[in-house]
Amino acid sequence: MTEISTDITPAIVAEHGLIPEEYQRINTLLGRAPNMVELGVFSVMWSEHCSYKSTRVHLKTLPTKAAWVIQGPGENAGVIDIGDGDACIFKMESHNHPSFIEPYQGAATGVGGIMRDVFTMGARPIAMMNALRFGEPSHPKTRHLVSGVVSGIGGYGNCMGVPTVGGEVNFHKSFNGNNLVNAMCVGLARTDKIFLSAAKGAGNPVVYFGSKTGRDGIHGATMASAQFDDASEEKRPTVQVGDPFAEKLLLEATLELMATDAIVAIQDMGAAGLTSSSAEMADKGGSGIELDLDKVPQRETHMTAYEMLLSESQERMLAVLKPGREAEAEKIFKKWELDFAVIGVTTDTHRFIARHQGKVVADIPVTALSDEAPIYSRPFEKRAPMSGTPAYDKARPVLASLEKLMAAPDMASRRWIWEQYDNSVMNDTLQHPGGDAAVVRVHGSKKALAITTDVTPRYVKADPVTGGAQAVAEAWRNLTAVGATPLAVTDNLNFGNPQKPEIMGQIVGAIEGIGAACRALDFPVIGGNCSLYNETNGEGILPTPAIGGVGLLKDHARMATIGFKREEDVVILIGETKGHLGQSIYLREIEGREEGACPPLDLAAEKKHGDFVRGLIEAGRLDTVHDLSDGGLLVAIAEMALKGGMGASVGQAAIADAVGFWFGEDQGRYLLAAPFAEAEKIVAEARAAYIPVAELGRTGGDAITLNDKDSMALKTLSAAHEGWFPRFMSGEEIPVRN
Amino acid sequence: MKAAVIVFPASNCDRDAATALEAMTGKKTAMVWHQDNELPAGTDLVVLPGGFSYGDYLRCGAMANQSSIMAAIKAHAEKGGAVLGICNGFQVLTESGLLPGALMRNAGLKFICKPVALEVTETQSAFTRNYAAGQAVTFPVAHGEGNYVADDATLDRLEGEGRVMFRYQNNPNGSARDIAGILNEKRNVLGLMPHPERAVDPATGGSDGRAMFQGLIEALS
């Protein structure tokens, strides 16, 4: 591609994902027409992915503050104080579009990107989570995508030596053309060693380190801001290729450099590569930046300025050092056999300037790329929530339904997936995948972090506000169920095309719900990511605002797990059961319908019930807890029994309808198991606090027995639960559901 | 016992090995960079840790075997010094010729991370002296290429000389004769795929690995 001289035609502007009004705005800001390089720079910086232009006005309404929040949204990741001088740094980010086009590399580089976001801030990553959504199992592409995404996550994360400790996986036909890969990384740093991206001061050297720059991933951010059609696979060259070996070296070398005091600012090169990292650093520091592109380490010959500025080659970092510290830094990167180059300098001109072969190829005011980027208050249409109570067969045998549910694609054991992830490296994994939240010890201490990712897309579809709030509440509940105090969340908003008012309505509604729940539960949002345009041929995905939550256990010896532990423990239900079946897994899997209202959420009750349960765990009085979510009460009992290798005999309480009682998805509920004497006290205390509570029965035996008459052997349930995933992935034909 | 853990580029169980050793010995473990030429003076035990040295982009362990520290490790082994290769470290030991055979891609072609049941088949070594013969232990595995292969003559010889130290009870990776760990002829170099250093704490991976480190401490101090 020739640069600078190319005439910019309306077609070229459109290819860069810019609308005519945006192109006009660029002309106004520059006071002239941009050249090709500058157009490229604007196109990535103003892309939805980098600028949040459709969501920014709404994201601003989210609560982001609390006494323990050190860094809220706006940096590479959020930071919270977890006491004793320790900080927890975390973020979740999507890599949806690349993972659909090239699942292995797309997922792998998603993992690499989110890890860089976290170690850029000074943290050693200690845990990874993944929230994955695929199309229906019978779709011809689904197996290929599951297999590629899982191996990509494992291939990258395992090499990094960071345990992948959990996540979630859903299947639904709305994801047939757009799967979702949301990766979350949690790291640990010291509160006095947190690194930010503000390149303050002029005359400081700008240094590049890590892998060389190649032609891969050019315009990845623009691709991630567009819809798919049948020709999307042609976009494969815009997917980057990951090199976890280089990333592992980059991690160690970066942390080694951070142990010195040579760094002024640091930023990883993620979406929009060199352009975005340098422009954002200059913007946050209130400075300017000049880059000499001839100094950029290049993997290929004859790369143009346009290509270098827009490349999304992986495993690269940009830092601003204190003057005179270059040699010290270079020595560290030499030791780790990584490229290192001084490629520019900070200035006080507030301009982003790039030179190549002696010529200025871009000269843009920094604020034109940040503050002046377009922000849209897009029209939105809030549809009335889906309502009503769907009819269902009340006489259907409960245990047969349970067996079916335990083997449903959304409910079956994910062992096939997580055994491909190294989940125990670093020797601090206290709760492996398969519980309510993953728990990872703060190395060498009694403290531990609980981590979860949650959202129920079908609820969000039915009612974006309640569904958004429910995602937060479920994350809070999952952290509470292991005994952790929930501290903060990162959100990963996956939606369709925001230029459609009904999709924008989903976004606005979900953000409203997330904000309400975060405020009610004192659970601030400290970072996030938006992935819009998840549509293929005009069909959008189920709205999926994934919530990644982190909580703290002060003493991991006082932690609850889901498995039954002792015979004759009393099984106690906390929270109110009304038998809500609208939008339930039961209704979808057993009755074949996705209908009705999603379950209502009472945030005050949620908080009250959760605080009660957590208090018992913290007091060392309770070690067996499971939150109730997809599939309802009986599924939760079955999961507790399978995990503990011990059955239970339980009876119906509260309401007469067996199906509603056992499978309803009423919110704000927990199941506990405790020895008789303790259980009696717990029940009395709950009643005294006006918390709905019921004793359902006792643990023991090798079956689930209902109302002293019907029972199902654990080995039958286990076969159903463990069998589905391996059978599916081995290629067994899956019946097509209508 | 003075222990040294070798750090190759993209070793990732080096810290875990050091933490386990430090918990057991109460002493600081030396971390030795792959480009060094010598082991710290007085080293009793060398640990080659798990990980993905050089990304495992070539045959696992092949690049690490070219590191300058390998000559010192071979000399240490030659003099009868103890060497423990775990996971990627086992792969490095077979590449170096310190142990026979090779580790191929898992039979199921997938990475496997889970606790596995093992039988301690031989107790005649510093590594296994604190176990009972036939004792069942559980260590986590975490590998994509742990399928041990060797020709029949080598396998016969390993078995005949009591050098198969650990066997899988439910073979997870297709290893010949369920072999999980083997010893060299002089009985001072052990390579195994499962991770004893991830089994020293009941809160995480159980405590069946402690006896290995305890045995080494008693034999080498």
Side-chain angles (χ1 to χ4, degrees):
Chain A
M1 177 179 296
T2 55
E3 52 199 45
I4 303 178
S5 61
T6 308
D7 283 336
I8 296 189
T9 62
I12 290 177
V13 172
E15 272 169 31
H16 281 76
L18 294 161
I19 58 173
E21 292 77 8
E22 289 172 337
Y23 180 66
Q24 199 46 55
R25 188 183 174 93
I26 293 169
N27 279 267
T28 309
L29 286 165
L30 290 178
R32 60 174 166 82
N35 64 35
M36 261 314 271
V37 177
E38 291 165 336
L39 185 73
V41 167
F42 275 103
S43 87
V44 290
M45 292 303 291
W46 286 12
S47 68
E48 188 68 55
H49 189 86
C50 292
S51 73
Y52 296 84
K53 58 190 166 192
S54 302
T55 52
R56 198 175 276 250
V57 292
H58 303 286
L59 292 171
K60 273 193 183 150
T61 65
L62 291 171
T64 59
K65 291 192 169 65
W68 54 89
V69 174
I70 295 175
Q71 175 67 55
E75 274 291 339
N76 287 297
V79 186
I80 51 173
D81 189 336
I82 56 166
D84 313 305
D86 294 321
C88 170
I89 301 186
F90 67 94
K91 169 111 178 253
M92 176 154 54
E93 205 164 80
S94 60
H95 232 214
N96 303 336
H97 293 77
S99 302
F100 185 76
I101 295 172
E102 210 314 285
Y104 185 97
Q105 294 297 345
T109 53
V111 169
I114 195 65
M115 281 197 192
R116 274 195 305 286
D117 278 337
V118 165
F119 71 75
T120 299
M121 297 197 66
R124 178 172 284 282
I126 61 159
M128 292 295 300
M129 303 280 283
N130 301 284
L132 310 177
R133 262 102 201 163
F134 297 103
E136 58 199 331
S138 58
H139 189 276
K141 237 184 140 171
T142 301
R143 270 190 202 94
H144 159 72
L145 291 170
V146 172
S147 165
V149 165
V150 170
S151 350
I153 290 169
Y156 208 101
N158 295 345
C159 180
M160 290 299 290
V162 180
T164 300
V165 292
E168 49 177 348
V169 183
N170 287 160
F171 295 91
H172 189 272
K173 62 176 184 279
S174 78
F175 302 109
N176 281 352
N178 293 83
N179 59 357
L180 302 185
V181 175
N182 297 170
M184 176 172 172
C185 179
V186 179
L188 275 180
R190 299 292 294 171
T191 50
D192 58 357
K193 288 291 265 180
I194 290 162
F195 292 82
L196 303 178
S197 59
K200 291 201 177 90
N204 293 326
V206 176
V207 301
Y208 168 122
F209 50 88
S211 295
K212 289 179 169 45
T213 296
R215 290 191 169 98
D216 48 333
I218 292 173
H219 277 309
T222 316
M223 170 191 76
S225 308
Q227 301 175 57
F228 280 166
D229 53 33
D230 292 330
S232 290
E233 299 210 357
E234 291 167 11
K235 295 191 174 167
R236 195 169 281 140
T238 57
V239 177
Q240 315 85 331
V241 175
D243 178 354
F245 174 55
E247 176 108 333
K248 171 70 174 162
L249 303 184
L250 188 61
L251 163 67
E252 299 302 335
T254 303
L255 293 180
E256 204 169 311
L257 178 63
M258 285 169 165
T260 73
D261 64 345
I263 299 175
V264 175
I266 181 164
Q267 167 104 337
D268 76 301
M269 290 190 231
L274 191 51
T275 292
S276 146
S277 55
S278 55
E280 282 177 19
M281 285 209 294
D283 177 50
K284 292 205 179 105
S287 60
I289 200 159
E290 284 194 28
L291 300 176
D292 180 355
L293 298 177
D294 297 308
K295 305 256 174 67
V296 170
Q298 294 158 47
R299 197 195 300 149
E300 297 164 68
T301 53
H302 306 302
M303 285 188 69
T304 63
Y306 180 96
E307 289 167 333
M308 274 187 268
L309 282 169
L310 300 193
S311 163
E312 291 189 6
S313 291
Q314 299 289 293
E315 295 90 24
R316 301 179 302 159
M317 302 280 260
L318 200 66
V320 174
L321 301 183
K322 293 176 183 167
R325 306 297 290 271
E326 298 90 328
E328 191 183 340
E330 183 166 17
K331 197 171 159 218
I332 292 170
F333 293 100
K334 273 221 163 104
K335 172 187 160 189
W336 291 97
E337 298 176 39
L338 291 166
D339 274 292
F340 173 89
V342 179
I343 65 162
V345 66
T346 57
T347 65
D348 56 6
T349 61
H350 306 288
R351 297 191 80 82
F352 170 90
I353 295 173
R355 287 196 172 78
H356 189 222
Q357 296 171 349
K359 284 186 217 138
V360 171
V361 292
D363 183 353
I364 305 170
V366 168
T367 50
L369 300 173
S370 53
D371 296 352
E372 301 292 341
I375 291 177
Y376 297 121
S377 282
R378 296 198 188 277
F380 59 88
E381 177 192 319
K382 280 194 177 174
R383 299 218 165 148
M386 292 166 75
S387 61
T389 308
Y392 53 92
D393 177 0
K394 295 196 175 186
R396 201 184 284 275
V398 166
L399 285 169
S401 297
L402 174 66
E403 185 184 358
K404 225 171 149 181
L405 285 183
M406 293 300 282
D410 271 7
M411 304 300 292
S413 166
R414 271 74 178 109
R415 185 184 301 277
W416 184 91
I417 294 179
W418 54 258
E419 282 187 352
Q420 295 185 55
Y421 302 150
D422 192 335
N423 51 62
S424 57
V425 64
M426 295 185 95
N427 256 347
D428 285 313
T429 308
L430 301 172
Q431 284 208 38
H432 293 258
D436 280 332
V439 182
V440 180
R441 187 167 52 192
V442 174
H443 193 68
S445 82
K446 281 165 74 180
K447 289 187 295 192
L449 293 168
I451 312 163
T452 183
T453 67
D454 295 288
V455 61
T456 313
R458 60 184 190 278
Y459 293 175
V460 189
K461 167 96 176 179
D463 179 353
V465 180
T466 305
Q470 191 275 343
V472 173
E474 191 174 337
W476 189 87
R477 204 182 301 143
N478 276 321
L479 299 175
T480 294
V482 298
T485 302
L487 292 178
V489 305
T490 173
D491 57 22
N492 197 152
L493 308 178
N494 308 275
F495 289 88
N497 180 354
Q499 298 183 45
K500 293 182 181 168
E502 71 271 26
I503 301 288
M504 201 58 219
Q506 290 176 343
I507 297 172
V508 172
I511 291 174
E512 183 187 327
I514 289 169
C518 286
R519 269 185 289 270
L521 300 170
D522 211 2
F523 201 25
V525 179
I526 62 161
N529 166 251
C530 294
S531 172
L532 308 182
Y533 299 97
N534 290 288
E535 297 205 356
T536 294
N537 297 333
E539 278 293 309
I541 56 163
L542 284 183
T544 309
I547 298 294
V550 172
L552 178 69
L553 291 109
K554 288 209 176 78
D555 177 1
H556 64 73
R558 292 183 173 178
M559 174 176 84
T561 56
I562 74 167
F564 288 141
K565 294 172 186 64
R566 297 156 294 263
E567 303 255 327
E568 291 297 311
D569 267 12
V570 180
V571 180
I572 302 167
L573 172 64
I574 296 283
E576 193 176 9
T577 302
K578 289 181 171 168
H580 187 101
L581 282 164
Q583 297 298 337
S584 64
I585 286 279
Y586 180 90
L587 193 69
R588 191 179 80 191
E589 296 297 326
I590 306 295
E591 299 281 347
R593 298 206 310 278
E594 300 177 48
E595 291 172 8
C598 71
L601 195 63
D602 176 345
L603 290 167
E606 187 74 54
K607 180 141 180 28
K608 189 174 179 184
H609 302 172
D611 289 347
F612 177 75
V613 170
R614 188 181 325 102
L616 295 169
I617 302 168
E618 282 175 342
R621 296 171 57 194
L622 183 62
D623 63 4
T624 309
V625 178
H626 194 3
D627 92 301
L628 266 62
S629 56
D630 279 353
L633 178 52
L634 195 54
V635 164
I637 290 175
E639 287 169 348
M640 295 173 88
L642 290 178
K643 191 78 176 185
M646 182 189 300
S649 178
V650 287
Q652 198 171 329
I655 59 169
D657 168 29
V659 170
F661 180 75
W662 293 118
F663 301 113
E665 295 183 5
D666 305 279
Q667 299 292 299
R669 297 186 300 162
Y670 300 83
L671 270 170
L672 326 177
F676 180 75
E678 189 63 57
E680 292 303 292
K681 284 190 222 158
I682 292 172
V683 170
E685 288 167 30
R687 286 204 177 112
Y690 301 102
I691 292 171
V693 60
E695 291 178 51
L696 302 183
R698 296 289 186 111
T699 60
D702 53 10
I704 301 285
T705 304
L706 298 186
N707 304 323
D708 292 324
K709 47 178 210 274
D710 305 320
S711 76
M712 180 165 281
L714 290 188
K715 63 174 192 289
T716 308
L717 287 169
S718 174
H721 191 54
E722 295 291 345
W724 184 81
F725 226 107
R727 274 205 319 274
F728 168 55
M729 291 308 295
S730 71
E732 186 172 300
E733 200 164 321
I734 300 292
V736 177
R737 211 172 43 208
N738 292 317
Chain B
M1 178 182 72
K2 277 190 74 173
V5 174
I6 312 299
V7 184
F8 297 106
S11 287
N12 66 26
C13 303
D14 44 336
R15 187 190 78 167
D16 298 352
T19 307
L21 284 162
E22 283 166 15
M24 297 294 298
T25 61
K27 281 193 225 159
K28 193 98 187 106
T29 300
M31 305 305 281
V32 178
W33 186 238
H34 69 113
Q35 284 170 343
D36 289 353
N37 294 307
E38 284 171 39
L39 295 167
T43 297
D44 299 303
L45 170 70
V46 174
V47 178
L48 287 87
F52 288 69
S53 55
Y54 292 93
D56 282 352
Y57 290 163
L58 193 58
R59 278 190 327 275
C60 303
M63 291 288 288
N65 180 45
Q66 304 302 317
S67 301
S68 47
I69 194 64
M70 285 308 292
I73 294 170
K74 284 174 187 165
H76 174 78
E78 189 56 38
K79 283 187 297 186
V83 178
L84 171 61
I86 302 165
C87 198
N88 194 223
F90 185 14
Q91 295 161 344
V92 177
L93 290 175
T94 59
E95 282 291 332
S96 72
L98 284 167
L99 291 173
L103 293 140
M104 307 281 285
R105 193 89 191 270
N106 291 344
L109 303 180
K110 287 198 283 290
F111 189 94
I112 304 168
C113 178
K114 61 179 181 185
V116 297
L118 302 169
E119 181 195 352
V120 184
T121 36
E122 297 287 343
T123 58
Q124 297 296 306
S125 77
F127 306 93
T128 53
R129 52 185 262 157
N130 280 21
Y131 293 101
Q135 187 177 337
V137 294
T138 299
F139 295 167
V141 293
H143 59 246
E145 314 202 3
N147 179 357
Y148 183 74
V149 294
D151 57 45
D152 281 337
T154 304
L155 293 170
D156 290 344
R157 198 167 151 216
L158 284 171
E159 287 182 332
E161 293 174 358
R163 289 162 53 196
V164 173
M165 309 308 283
F166 293 94
R167 272 188 220 274
Y168 299 110
Q169 296 194 343
N170 297 296
N171 193 335
N173 53 26
S175 287
R177 303 188 193 178
D178 301 329
I179 289 173
I182 57 168
L183 209 59
N184 68 338
E185 222 174 319
K186 288 169 75 173
R187 308 190 79 78
N188 60 327
V189 178
L190 174 71
L192 77 170
M193 288 313 296
H195 287 268
E197 86 285 13
R198 291 192 198 181
V200 293
D201 180 350
T204 50
S207 49
D208 287 351
R210 296 178 72 89
M212 180 182 293
F213 297 104
Q214 194 54 43
L216 284 163
I217 291 168
E218 288 167 16
L220 302 178
S221 295

